[in-house]
Amino acid sequence: MGSQLSLHTETLRQVVTSDPICLDPLAPVREAFERMKEQRRGAVLICREGRLVGIFTERDALALMADAVDLSVPIERVMTPDPVALSEHDTVGAAITRMAQGGYRRLPIVDAEGRPVGFVKVGSILHFLVDHFPATVYNLPPAPHHATEAREGA
Amino acid sequence: MTCPWCGADNLDGVDDCVACGQSLSDAHLSDPATAVERGLLADHVRVLDPQDPVVVAADTPVRDVLRAMIDGGTGCVVVADANRPVGVFTEYDALMNFDTDAPALGGRPVSDFMTAPAETLEPDAKVAFAVQRMAVGGYRHIPVVGAGGELAGIISVRDILRYLTDRMGEGREPGS
């Protein structure tokens, strides 16, 4: 590969997923569960007048399922308010750092007015790294110099 | 020659590094590898310090598994039989299978909902390989097994993020 892996200069624009699910703060938790399952998403954003005010993830859902919580309560009662969010102009490296610090696996991306435009997901960052190396890297045995030891009858 | 990507020793004249597969013939044309690149190709899964997973048996009721995940502070359990991983069950599996039906389905065994067979890694696998397995499979956790297939730990995407953060920090040090 001719180019360096430039985590400090590549921006999030190329790894952002678009079209996030946005719910009203008063929507019942049940609606979040149903939309996440239907659309196979791990999180929904909660928006008031178009601005991001909270996030609800599968981790939050797990806790509610384990406790058999009433799912008719408004989502604003169980969401994480004022989540960490980044801009499309932030770097891939910045997203990695924030995710590592906070234990996040996805971060909402907002525009200059605080309107959500999508997510950067940890899986997208892994794909970004994988695409950087030639496919041969991934076809090699884990420890090439030991590869013949297990061969029987040789 | 020494591979500029991962540091492995290679016979002179080979086209590709025996350890990491990067082209050696083009190496003089490429920019020097960054600390992250070198690390991903040279380091092994064991440097991620695989943690002890939460382990359950295949017949464990899924409601008990959810509780074990909450109590263990993890989004993933390894379902094992005689200390060999047979499947993995994650919070994403929980959401996709139960959503609003969690109370009704809680008595079913976790084996009904787990992802099986479990993808596994050996401690000798390169970190780049672990990243690729996670990316392609959409996994956020992969059990680590010993040579005999016995469960030896688990790595998560969080370990990968921490690893990348450490390596990025090294890359910014003067003179590196």
Side-chain angles (χ1 to χ4, degrees):
Chain A
M1 297 252 103
S3 62
Q4 277 191 329
L5 185 59
S6 305
L7 299 176
H8 295 299
T9 53
E10 296 284 352
T11 68
L12 294 173
R13 188 179 298 274
Q14 59 186 312
V15 295
V16 167
T17 60
S18 56
D19 194 24
I21 300 174
C22 294
L23 296 180
D24 187 87
L26 298 178
V29 175
R30 178 183 309 281
E31 187 176 338
F33 275 66
E34 289 168 354
R35 294 282 298 277
M36 289 161 83
K37 184 176 178 184
E38 264 170 34
Q39 300 184 36
R40 305 193 72 77
R41 305 286 183 86
V44 297
L45 297 177
I46 294 87
C47 302
R48 183 178 284 120
E49 295 169 358
R51 305 270 174 93
L52 178 67
V53 296
I55 188 170
F56 180 84
T57 73
E58 59 204 339
R59 177 67 49 93
D60 303 316
L62 179 72
L64 298 184
M65 283 191 275
D67 293 337
V69 166
D70 174 12
L71 298 181
S72 65
V73 301
I75 195 153
E76 67 178 353
R77 297 244 307 264
V78 294
M79 71 184 186
T80 300
D82 304 320
V84 173
L86 295 177
S87 141
E88 278 187 324
H89 306 296
D90 285 318
T91 64
V92 174
I96 290 172
T97 303
R98 296 312 293 267
M99 287 178 165
Q101 284 168 347
Y104 308 123
R105 289 163 308 183
R106 61 177 65 71
L107 292 170
I109 304 297
V110 295
D111 66 14
E113 278 77 48
R115 291 182 298 239
V117 296
F119 281 105
V120 54
K121 298 195 290 187
V122 69
S124 306
I125 289 178
L126 297 183
H127 276 288
F128 172 84
L129 294 170
V130 168
D131 289 346
H132 178 76
F133 296 109
T136 50
V137 171
Y138 309 117
N139 297 326
L140 292 166
H145 47 291
H146 294 143
T148 55
E149 284 182 2
R151 191 176 294 160
E152 290 179 23
Chain B
M1 69 178 290
T2 302
C3 174
W5 297 93
C6 73
D9 285 330
N10 283 273
L11 296 173
D12 284 341
V14 298
D15 291 333
D16 300 319
C17 173
V18 293
C20 75
Q22 292 279 14
S23 171
L24 297 176
S25 54
D26 291 334
H28 63 286
L29 300 174
S30 304
D31 296 320
T34 62
V36 175
E37 285 171 316
R38 282 196 305 271
L40 284 170
L41 295 174
D43 289 340
H44 298 250
V45 161
R46 64 166 56 85
V47 308
L48 299 173
D49 189 21
Q51 300 295 300
D52 291 336
V54 174
V55 182
V56 299
D59 60 357
T60 310
V62 81
R63 84 163 62 80
D64 296 347
V65 174
L66 294 181
R67 178 48 59 195
M69 289 164 81
I70 301 277
D71 293 345
T74 180
C76 174
V77 297
V78 177
V79 183
D81 179 27
N83 202 32
R84 287 164 188 273
V86 296
V88 163
F89 179 81
T90 70
E91 56 201 344
Y92 188 76
D93 295 323
L95 183 68
M96 289 305 137
N97 283 294
F98 310 150
D99 66 83
T100 53
D101 295 331
L105 297 173
R108 300 255 303 266
V110 68
S111 54
D112 285 1
F113 308 104
M114 68 186 184
T115 298
E119 171 117 16
T120 59
L121 287 168
E122 293 186 12
D124 282 342
K126 295 288 171 61
V127 176
F129 187 74
V131 169
Q132 192 255 6
R133 296 320 304 160
M134 284 191 177
V136 172
Y139 308 124
R140 288 183 300 218
H141 301 83
I142 300 184
V144 178
V145 296
E150 75 280 6
L151 185 60
I154 192 165
I155 60 162
S156 77
V157 73
R158 194 169 177 178
D159 300 324
I160 302 279
L161 289 171
R162 192 179 306 121
Y163 171 86
L164 291 171
T165 307
D166 290 347
R167 286 291 177 277
M168 287 193 295
E170 288 172 16
R172 275 189 295 224
E173 281 168 16
S176 66

